[in-house]
Amino acid sequence: MHPLLLAATAFVASAVEAVEAVTIVLAVGYTQGWAPALRGAAWACAALTAIILITGPALVHFVPLGALQLVIGIFLVLFGFTWLRKAIWRACGRKALHDESAIFARQVEALKDAREQRLGFVTSFNGVLVEGLEIAVIVITLGAAATAGFAWASIGAAAAALVVIGVAIVLRHPFSRVPENLMKFVVGVMLISFGTYWTGEGLGIAWPLRDATLLAVIAINIVWSVALVAWLRRLRPLTA
Amino acid sequence: MKAAYQFLVGSSLVTPIGLAIAVFVALALTRAAPAYAGLALIVILLATLTFSVFEKPN
């Protein structure tokens, strides 16, 4: 394989994975704050670096990617359910939009915030770790295809990561104007969708559209969740 | 143990049960009927979400 073609292949394949990782970090950043989001991403990068330095090209054989996807997929589904349920309740009036309005509620919220900060950290860490490992596997696999292939594949993957991170930084401000509950709704949908996809991958499911299946899962979850909000609004509101 | 459960699941009872069923059914289908495993996983998780929003808001 020509080195440039190799780098381009690594770029495209890595970009797909990088978009998924950055989406999760952005989602956590908007809803749980940038500190836990960036801390989780940084720790995941450190863990990735350590894993890659220790195992080297043997990473492909040592890391049980399927098992990791299954465990982290289940985590993401659980976290996603927690956030999406609350966003649905708030959207349909079964839960107050601002729990912190009363003093007691504010104290309760403070405790919840601490929990959600940890959730944010773990979610960001998991997302970056899984996608980073997938990028590492792509680089190692493509790198074995040609002489000096590892260097070219690494260049392609690094360029993809830089481009995706750059785009995310540019898009950060327009997204920050979206209402908080809508953002939590979207984040919940995204986490459940990623979690569903990865759980399936970990179980050995051959998704019919490969990575594009994720888009279909996101669309299905959005439509279903919006329908649930509409349905619950027709029932008697129960504000907690 | 309770703290770990709260951390992972919050206050929901439906979510872990639905997720366990979804994983179990999808795993079984990957061997028996692979074409339907993904669909089953998605549908059971949607049903889980539906039941879970009818739990008492916390």
Side-chain angles (χ1 to χ4, degrees), chain A residues 3 47 52 135 167 208:
Chain A
I52 291 167
I135 290 174
V167 170

Side-chain angles (χ1 to χ4, degrees), chain A residues 80-236:
Chain A
F81 267 114
T82 303
W83 288 353
L84 185 56
R85 270 166 23 116
K86 284 182 185 172
I88 289 174
W89 283 333
R90 287 188 173 116
C92 67
R94 287 173 69 89
K95 189 175 176 70
L97 270 174
H98 297 290
D99 288 350
E100 65 280 9
S101 55
I103 293 171
F104 176 74
R106 212 179 290 143
Q107 289 171 336
V108 172
E109 278 300 304
L111 291 172
K112 282 184 183 170
D113 281 349
R115 175 181 172 270
E116 290 188 358
Q117 288 257 329
R118 287 197 296 274
L119 276 182
F121 172 84
V122 173
T123 305
S124 178
F125 178 87
N126 286 343
V128 174
L129 185 68
V130 163
E131 297 303 342
L133 280 173
E134 289 191 28
I135 290 174
V137 169
I138 288 167
V139 168
I140 291 167
T141 308
L142 287 174
T147 313
F150 187 73
W152 284 103
S154 300
I155 290 169
L162 287 175
V163 167
V164 171
I165 290 169
V167 170
I169 291 170
V170 170
L171 291 178
R172 191 165 59 93
H173 286 297
F175 275 124
S176 65
R177 296 194 198 100
V178 177
E180 184 188 350
N181 198 51
L182 176 59
M183 189 57 81
K184 288 193 171 180
F185 185 93
V186 172
V187 170
V189 165
M190 297 300 281
L191 291 182
I192 291 174
S193 303
F194 276 108
T196 305
Y197 179 76
W198 283 348
T199 302
E201 291 261 295
L203 290 171
I205 292 172
W207 294 110
L209 304 173
R210 295 177 178 243
D211 279 357
T213 303
L214 184 57
L215 298 176
V217 176
I218 291 170
I220 290 167
N221 277 320
I222 288 174
V223 170
W224 192 263
S225 302
V226 169
L228 276 177
V229 170
W231 186 18
L232 286 169
R233 273 184 180 159
R234 294 174 69 146
L235 303 174
R236 190 170 66 88

Side-chain angles (χ1 to χ4, degrees), chain B:
Chain B
M1 191 68 188
K2 190 182 172 188
Y5 182 87
Q6 283 276 325
F7 175 69
L8 286 173
V9 185
S11 61
S12 176
L13 271 179
V14 171
T15 304
I17 294 169
L19 181 56
I21 293 170
V23 170
F24 181 78
V25 170
L27 182 62
L29 284 176
T30 52
R31 295 184 178 92
Y36 296 101
L39 186 64
L41 182 67
I42 293 168
V43 168
I44 296 172
L45 287 178
L46 289 177
T48 303
L49 177 66
T50 306
F51 284 114
S52 76
V53 295
F54 282 97
E55 287 182 295
K56 190 177 181 296
N58 56 328

